[in-house]
Amino acid sequence: MGNLPETTLKATNGNLGLVPASPGTTQVKIGPCSSGTINLLSPVTTKQGLVDEFTSGPTVDAASLCCDKPGRGPLYVMRAAASTDGVAGSVTKTDAPTAVGNATTVGNVVYTALKAGVRVKMDGGNTKTLGITSITGKDIVIQLGTDGGGAVTSTLTNVRDLLAGDATAALLVTAGSGGGLAATAAFTALSFGGTGSVTVAGTPLDAYQVRVKPSRSGTLNVGAFRYSLDGGDAYSEEITIPAGGTYAIPGTGLTLTFTPGAGAIFFAKDDLFAFDCTAPSCSAGDISSALTALQLETRTFTIIHIVGQVVRADMPAFFAAIKTFADAYEAEGKYVMFVLEGAGNESAESNSTWSAAWIAAMASSASFRMAIALGECEVLAPLLTPQAARTMRRCVSYPMLAHVSALNIATDLGEVLQGPLPGVTKLYHADQADTLAGARFSVAYPINQLEGFYGEGRLFDTSIGDFKYWQDIRVLNEAMRVARIGMLRYQSSAVRVRKRAQGAYPAGSIDPVDAFNVERALNMILSNALTRRGFATEAVLIVDKQINIITEKELPYDVQVTPLGYLKKLTGKAGLKNPALA
C-alpha cells in the first residue's frame, strides 16, 4: 500500500488515431415507392429485400441498379410521400400494316375504307348536282343530286362511279353499287381493321410506356395479346383476351379494358394500342418531411439521391429548399452531397431549346453540396418485376449514382479505366452534354471508339467557387468528418497557455508544445484517412495560435486539403519524321 516496492501499469486510450469507418460510398435514395413505411430509413442488401419492402416505383428502380454494382458501398432507401399520383395517358390505336376496311353503311351506301381514319359526309339540299364538295385530309364531303323539292336523285351506283372517277377519293374509299337511292348523312367514320378498342384505368406506379399488341385475331376469350411496359422493347408472354374484357397488368396499378366493337374483325393481329404513364412524384414539402426525418438518423451516409425528375419551372424553389437542408446537415456535422434530377423536354421543344431554358432557369442557383443531373437515357431494368428484360427511360442520375457507388471518394465519375455507366443502351440528350456540363449540370456522354457511355459529375457551385466535380466535395466531406471526430477527443480538455506574449502570439494563447501535439495527432489521422489512401495530395490541420483561450474558451482550427489533379484534357501533337534530318 505504498510502503513496499511495487510496479504499476495503466492502460491508456486514444493513442492510435482511429476513427469510425468511412461512409464515403454510402448512399440514401429518397423518393416515391409503391409500398413501405413513409419517412423510415431502411438498409438494402439485396434486390429481393428491396422488392419485398418497397415493391416498385422510381426509387426502387434507382436502388436496384446500385444493388447490381460489384463492390458497391452501403445503400439505404427512404420512401417519401408522393403528393402527385402517376397518370395514364389516353390510348391511341395504330392499325396493323395488313389491316383492311370493313363494310360501313353511310346514307344507304356501303363504303369500304382503304386507309384508317376515313370519314364520309353526304349533303342534300334543293336542286343540287351530284359531286365531291371537298376532300380534306381523309374527310370526304359528297353533294348528292336532288330535285327542286329536296328529294335525293343519286343512286348508289352514281355515288360509286363518282368516287371511282376521282383520283384522290379512289385512294381513300370504295363504294358498293345498286339502283337504290343514297341518303344524306353527317360525318361518319368508316370502320377499318379491328373494331375493338382498349382503354386503361388505375394509377400507375411508375413511368411506363405501355404497348398492347394483339397476337391472335379474335374477340373476347378468343383473341390474344402481349403487352410491353417499355415502349415495345420487351413484350410479355401471350395472354388470351379475358372473357370479361378486363386485365390487370401485374405490379403496375393499371387495368386494361377490351371492348370488341361490331366486328367482323374485333381485335386484329398486330394492331397496336399505346399509351404512356407519368410516375408518382414528390413535392418539395414531401422531400422536406423525409429529410427532416433523416436528419435525426445516427447512421452515416454521404450521398443523398432525391429520386424524381423536377420540372424546370419548379427547380429553383426545389433547389433552394434542399440547399437549406444541406446547410443544416453540415452545421450538425453531417457532410453530404445531394443529387437532384431535372426533367426532360417539355412538349415538342428541341434539345437545344430545352438545354438553353434549363441553363437560364438555374443561372442564379448555387451550392457546392448539390448536383443536378440532366438528360435522359435508356437503361436496362435489373428487376424481374413488373416485367423482365424491360428498358427504362430514366434520368442519367440512375446509372451515374449506381456507378459511383463502387468508386472511392477521389475517383472521377468519368474515369475511363473504371468502365462505362452500367446498363445504359441509349442517350437522348448527348448532343447537349458539353453545353450543359459547362453550365454545372451533371451529364452522360459517349466517347468516340469506346463502347457504352460515361458520366461527368459536376457540382452546382458558383463560377468562382472551388468545387467543380463530385469528388471535390466527397473528399472534403471525408476530411471534415475525420477532422471533426479527431478533434472531439479534445473537447472540454485542458491545455496549457502562454504565460507571456511572444511575437504574434499573445499571452493566454495555446502553448506551442500543446499546439504541436494537437496538430501532430490530427495530421496523422488525416494522413491515414486521405493522403495514404490516395484520396488527396495532402491534408493538414492547423490550430489557431493567437486566440486567448483563457477568455474565449475556444480553439479555432483550419483543415486544408490539397486535392489530386485530374486529367480532363489530353492534348497532343502528331507529325511525320524524317530520320535523315534528325
Side-chain angles (χ1 to χ4, degrees):
M1 300 296 294
N3 295 315
L4 296 176
E6 63 178 336
T7 300
T8 62
L9 183 64
K10 181 180 179 181
T12 62
N13 202 352
N15 304 308
L16 299 180
L18 300 179
V19 295
S22 171
T25 57
T26 303
Q27 289 190 34
V28 175
K29 308 281 187 184
I30 299 177
C33 305
S34 61
S35 65
T37 304
I38 290 175
N39 295 343
L40 176 68
L41 189 67
S42 297
V44 173
T45 55
T46 65
K47 289 187 291 186
Q48 187 59 54
L50 173 67
V51 172
D52 288 346
E53 183 167 0
F54 298 104
T55 308
S56 65
T59 310
V60 175
D61 292 337
S64 68
L65 285 172
C66 289
C67 288
D68 270 358
K69 187 68 177 176
R72 69 168 175 87
L75 175 64
Y76 294 89
V77 167
M78 176 178 280
R79 180 192 181 195
S83 293
T84 303
D85 288 335
V87 176
S90 58
V91 181
T92 59
K93 178 190 176 187
T94 302
D95 290 290
T98 57
V100 295
N102 303 304
T104 307
T105 301
V106 182
N108 296 335
V109 179
V110 178
Y111 291 101
T112 301
L114 301 178
K115 295 181 179 180
V118 176
R119 298 195 307 164
V120 174
K121 180 174 182 279
M122 301 169 71
D123 291 336
N126 295 326
T127 317
K128 298 293 183 179
T129 302
L130 177 66
I132 296 177
T133 303
S134 65
I135 300 178
T136 305
K138 297 179 183 178
D139 286 348
I140 304 172
V141 179
I142 297 172
Q143 173 62 62
L144 297 175
T146 60
D147 61 20
V152 174
T153 59
S154 299
T155 67
L156 308 184
T157 298
N158 294 150
V159 174
R160 180 201 66 182
D161 294 343
L162 172 70
L163 294 171
D166 185 284
T168 303
L171 295 175
L172 297 174
V173 69
T174 63
S177 61
L181 295 176
T184 60
F187 263 125
T188 303
L190 304 187
S191 175
F192 189 88
T195 59
S197 64
V198 174
T199 56
V200 61
T203 302
L205 304 179
D206 210 333
Y208 307 117
Q209 297 166 288
V210 183
R211 305 294 181 261
V212 179
K213 181 178 287 190
S215 55
R216 184 174 70 243
S217 297
T219 188
L220 304 182
N221 208 33
V222 175
F225 71 99
R226 291 183 171 91
Y227 69 85
S228 169
L229 300 179
D230 62 3
D233 292 332
Y235 274 90
S236 68
E237 295 297 318
E238 185 174 87
I239 303 164
T240 298
I241 299 173
T246 60
Y247 177 78
I249 303 177
T252 65
L254 301 171
T255 297
L256 305 175
T257 298
F258 294 81
T259 304
I265 302 173
F266 299 96
F267 294 99
K269 184 177 183 298
D270 293 333
D271 278 355
L272 180 65
F273 300 90
F275 62 94
D276 292 344
C277 301
T278 61
S281 60
C282 304
S283 67
D286 295 332
I287 298 300
S288 293
S289 295
L291 290 175
T292 298
L294 188 62
Q295 204 167 355
L296 302 176
E297 272 290 334
T298 56
R299 288 171 284 190
T300 55
F301 41 83
T302 60
I303 298 175
I304 298 177
H305 178 194
I306 307 299
V307 180
Q309 292 175 272
V310 180
V311 298
R312 191 163 57 228
D314 294 342
M315 182 60 91
F318 192 91
F319 186 99
I322 304 305
K323 182 180 183 300
T324 299
F325 282 97
D327 296 341
Y329 276 41
E330 180 179 306
E332 294 179 3
K334 297 178 178 179
Y335 310 117
V336 177
M337 177 181 77
F338 288 83
V339 180
L340 313 184
E341 301 176 359
N345 307 60
E346 296 182 7
S347 186
E349 66 183 354
S350 66
N351 281 1
S352 58
T353 299
W354 165 80
S355 65
W358 265 107
I359 292 169
M362 299 306 298
S364 299
S365 300
S367 170
F368 59 78
R369 291 198 168 277
M370 297 175 64
I372 300 176
L374 204 55
E376 295 177 328
C377 64
E378 291 280 345
V379 60
L380 295 172
L383 297 175
L384 298 177
T385 55
Q387 186 173 40
R390 70 186 173 107
T391 58
M392 310 177 291
R393 180 165 177 165
R394 295 290 185 266
C395 180
V396 293
S397 60
Y398 281 50
M400 290 168 73
L401 285 163
H403 192 56
V404 84
S405 69
L407 301 180
N408 72 53
I409 60 174
T411 299
D412 188 270
L413 175 64
E415 183 178 317
V416 171
L417 291 178
Q418 300 296 330
L421 299 175
V424 180
T425 61
K426 178 181 179 180
L427 295 180
Y428 287 95
H429 301 93
D431 60 319
Q432 298 301 309
D434 185 72
T435 299
L436 291 169
R440 303 174 293 165
F441 293 95
S442 297
V443 297
Y445 63 98
I447 297 178
N448 185 31
Q449 299 185 41
L450 292 184
E451 296 180 352
F453 303 95
Y454 291 78
E456 178 74 355
R458 295 293 182 105
L459 294 169
F460 232 72
D461 196 7
T462 64
S463 59
I464 59 173
D466 294 335
F467 300 90
K468 180 171 287 188
Y469 305 110
W470 286 9
Q471 63 266 28
D472 293 339
I473 191 60
R474 295 182 72 200
V475 170
L476 187 71
N477 283 344
E478 179 66 357
M480 294 176 71
R481 182 189 75 90
V482 169
R484 179 177 180 273
I485 293 173
M487 288 299 288
L488 280 174
R489 70 186 61 204
Y490 297 105
Q491 188 165 304
S492 297
S493 296
V495 295
R496 293 170 296 180
V497 299
R498 290 179 181 270
K499 293 183 291 185
R500 60 184 62 86
Q502 183 176 357
Y505 308 112
S509 61
I510 188 170
D511 180 86
V513 174
D514 284 2
F516 172 80
N517 289 336
V518 172
E519 290 177 344
R520 180 180 61 179
L522 266 294
N523 288 337
M524 180 190 71
I525 293 172
L526 287 168
S527 177
N528 289 339
L530 293 161
T531 310
R532 293 182 181 179
R533 299 184 67 185
F535 297 160
T537 301
E538 184 182 51
V540 297
L541 182 144
I542 302 171
V543 301
D544 189 317
K545 302 177 180 66
Q546 294 182 317
I547 191 170
N548 189 314
I549 293 178
I550 291 178
T551 57
E552 300 298 331
K553 316 299 184 189
E554 178 184 358
L555 180 61
Y557 61 95
D558 287 335
V559 178
Q560 299 176 356
V561 179
T562 304
L564 302 176
Y566 295 89
L567 308 180
K568 285 295 185 178
K569 291 187 178 181
L570 303 174
T571 55
K573 296 184 294 183
L576 302 178
K577 176 182 178 181
N578 185 343
L581 301 178

